[in-house]
Amino acid sequence: MKFSEKKKKFKKTLVVDGDSLIKTAYHGAKDLYYKDTHIGGIFQFLTMVRKMLNEYKFDRVYVFWDGPFSGRLRYDIYKEYKSNRGKNFYEEQPPSDLELYLQKERVISYCEELFIRQYKDEIIEADDCIGYYVQNMSDDEKVVIMSNDRDLCQLIGDRVGVYVLNLKKIVTQDNYLTYFNHHPSNLKLIKIITGDNSDCIKGIQGVSEKTLVNFFPEISEKTLTLEYIFSKIVTIQNERKNRLKSLDNILNKVTKGSQKDMIYEVNEKIINLKKPLLNESTKNELDYIFNTSIDPEGREVKNVIKMMIEDGLMMAIPGGSDGYINFLQPFLSIIKKEKSYFTQINV
């Protein structure tokens, strides 16, 4: 995916995993304070989005947020989901980090004024909203997803890349093997078999990604299936004097997880972002956000400047008292395009 190509004119959309970015921003600017109040998350979030807008000249920006019970649909399928985080999917709890929570809410306010499209659902995860967006993107569109969650690399395609925050690079089909040792189309398969420790999703006992790469080196070259893996395991084991337990575990679905004999079916449901877990009401709301225009009434750049003064961002921006003009310039381009779209469909 080359964003500089000129043969065909594409719309360019930035899709932000809001919680991933605000956490990265918050922890990356721990020392930025204004009047004894930490503002690093707000400042760094806006700075990182600004950098992307400035570099790639996006036409539209979406930010998807996790709600208080996001992940409930996965929890209902698999009760161990995110059990390592102490999350309650049915009873609201106070934020584990109040400072981070308050900065997240403030960033949401900034995005509203900056004509950045946003969505948050009580029970649906941001990842699923992003997956749904990619499945419904237009034929003349290119998308960059901004996140530190590498699960979203499942969505990489001809016109979809993922800006991985800690790599500071857009990962595409062309450069994927520079960073990972498997073909991008096999990420889902790997996680279905090996699980995901960060989300407490159990996989096959004794099997890691390294195991799969060692025994199935073609995993870096082409799309594989479970059926292919099973078939090749039979061949490998028949050629050996001593059977490998890890490979037999794949065939026999041996896991410490509650999925038991249904491990592949359960993991497929909770891992596959190309079939996002959404309810019909959320799909309808997302379709509306994707296709409607942003009403400019009440949204003013002066409101952004006022918030920047209140929060002390003016003191953090390089360039002195006039630095905010340069800082806001990439956002002004988004505002202009969204206002133009509003005018077009409301004539």
Side-chain angles (χ1 to χ4, degrees):
M1 181 177 59
K2 299 178 181 178
F3 280 81
S4 59
E5 65 183 65
K6 297 182 180 180
K7 291 182 180 180
K8 181 177 179 179
K9 182 67 175 176
F10 286 95
K11 295 183 297 185
K12 292 180 286 187
T13 303
L14 178 63
V15 177
V16 180
D17 178 353
D19 288 85
S20 180
L21 182 55
I22 189 63
K23 288 173 185 175
T24 299
Y26 175 77
H27 293 292
K30 270 290 193 181
D31 298 328
L32 186 56
Y33 283 81
Y34 176 69
K35 294 183 178 180
D36 297 325
T37 299
H38 184 251
I39 60 169
I42 302 170
F43 175 74
Q44 197 69 1
F45 186 102
L46 295 175
T47 297
M48 294 168 82
V49 172
R50 176 190 180 276
K51 179 179 181 296
M52 294 295 288
L53 295 178
N54 203 36
E55 189 167 348
Y56 297 104
K57 313 299 180 188
F58 289 98
D59 299 295
R60 184 172 287 181
V61 183
Y62 289 87
V63 179
F64 294 105
W65 302 97
D66 286 334
F69 308 115
S70 61
R72 181 187 291 176
L73 297 184
R74 285 183 172 80
Y75 173 78
D76 287 344
I77 295 170
Y78 176 62
K79 298 302 183 187
E80 293 164 72
Y81 184 62
K82 291 188 176 179
S83 59
N84 53 345
R85 305 187 192 186
K87 181 166 181 170
N88 191 310
F89 292 94
Y90 281 90
E91 294 180 15
E92 194 157 5
Q93 299 169 297
S96 57
D97 190 327
L98 180 60
E99 190 175 66
L100 173 60
Y101 170 80
L102 293 174
Q103 290 187 57
K104 172 181 172 177
E105 293 301 306
R106 190 61 163 171
V107 165
I108 290 173
S109 298
Y110 274 96
C111 290
E112 284 293 317
E113 298 294 339
L114 291 168
F115 286 72
I116 291 173
R117 294 168 182 254
Q118 301 181 90
Y119 184 75
K120 178 170 67 173
D121 186 277
E122 288 277 300
I123 66 172
I124 304 299
E125 294 190 81
D127 287 6
D128 293 294
C129 297
I130 294 170
Y132 186 71
Y133 185 87
V134 169
Q135 297 307 109
N136 290 276
M137 60 189 282
S138 61
D139 293 336
D140 63 345
E141 184 177 11
K142 288 189 174 184
V143 170
V144 171
I145 301 164
M146 192 177 187
S147 178
N148 226 13
D149 185 351
R150 301 187 183 196
D151 287 350
L152 289 163
C153 288
Q154 292 177 52
L155 302 173
I156 288 174
D158 291 342
R159 293 178 288 116
V160 180
V162 177
Y163 182 88
V164 180
L165 293 169
N166 62 0
L167 294 178
K168 298 181 180 179
K169 298 287 184 182
I170 297 178
V171 180
T172 68
Q173 286 182 332
D174 295 333
N175 66 6
Y176 192 87
L177 289 175
T178 303
Y179 306 104
F180 306 105
N181 55 8
H182 58 268
H183 191 275
S185 64
N186 291 320
L187 175 57
K188 179 191 73 174
L189 175 67
I190 289 170
K191 286 186 170 290
I192 286 172
I193 296 173
T194 66
D196 188 331
N197 288 333
S198 65
D199 287 336
C200 219
I201 300 171
K202 297 294 185 181
I204 296 298
Q205 192 171 338
V207 178
S208 65
E209 180 177 345
K210 185 177 180 181
T211 308
L212 297 177
V213 172
N214 285 342
F215 288 101
F216 311 96
E218 60 272 40
I219 206 166
S220 67
E221 302 166 359
K222 61 182 181 180
T223 303
L224 305 186
T225 64
L226 270 174
E227 291 71 23
Y228 177 91
I229 297 291
F230 297 156
S231 176
K232 188 168 179 181
I233 287 175
V234 172
T235 301
I236 292 172
Q237 298 287 51
N238 286 341
E239 291 175 351
R240 293 180 58 87
K241 291 183 179 179
N242 299 310
R243 297 180 68 86
L244 290 167
K245 186 175 181 181
S246 60
L247 296 186
D248 274 344
N249 285 350
I250 295 174
L251 289 178
N252 298 324
K253 304 178 182 179
V254 178
T255 179
K256 291 183 178 179
S258 60
Q259 310 100 313
K260 297 183 180 178
D261 286 347
M262 295 295 291
I263 182 168
Y264 298 128
E265 292 83 357
V266 170
N267 284 3
E268 159 77 26
K269 286 181 180 178
I270 61 179
I271 285 169
N272 187 1
L273 292 178
K274 289 188 177 180
K275 293 182 179 179
L277 285 176
L278 301 170
N279 51 41
E280 287 304 314
S281 63
T282 299
K283 289 180 183 178
N284 292 334
E285 290 172 1
L286 288 171
D287 289 339
Y288 178 79
I289 291 171
F290 299 163
N291 297 302
T292 193
S293 60
I294 296 178
D295 189 346
E297 185 175 355
R299 290 181 168 91
E300 302 281 351
V301 174
K302 66 181 181 182
N303 295 339
V304 179
I305 296 171
K306 180 182 177 182
M307 288 194 295
M308 291 172 70
I309 294 171
E310 292 172 350
D311 296 335
L313 298 193
M314 290 294 197
M315 306 295 293
I317 294 170
S321 59
D322 293 329
Y324 75 94
I325 298 174
N326 179 60
F327 185 83
L328 289 176
Q329 197 61 48
F331 296 105
L332 297 180
S333 176
I334 294 296
I335 292 172
K336 181 179 179 181
K337 289 172 182 175
E338 287 286 7
K339 284 185 174 180
S340 175
Y341 181 64
F342 177 84
T343 302
Q344 288 173 27
I345 70 171
N346 289 279
V347 172

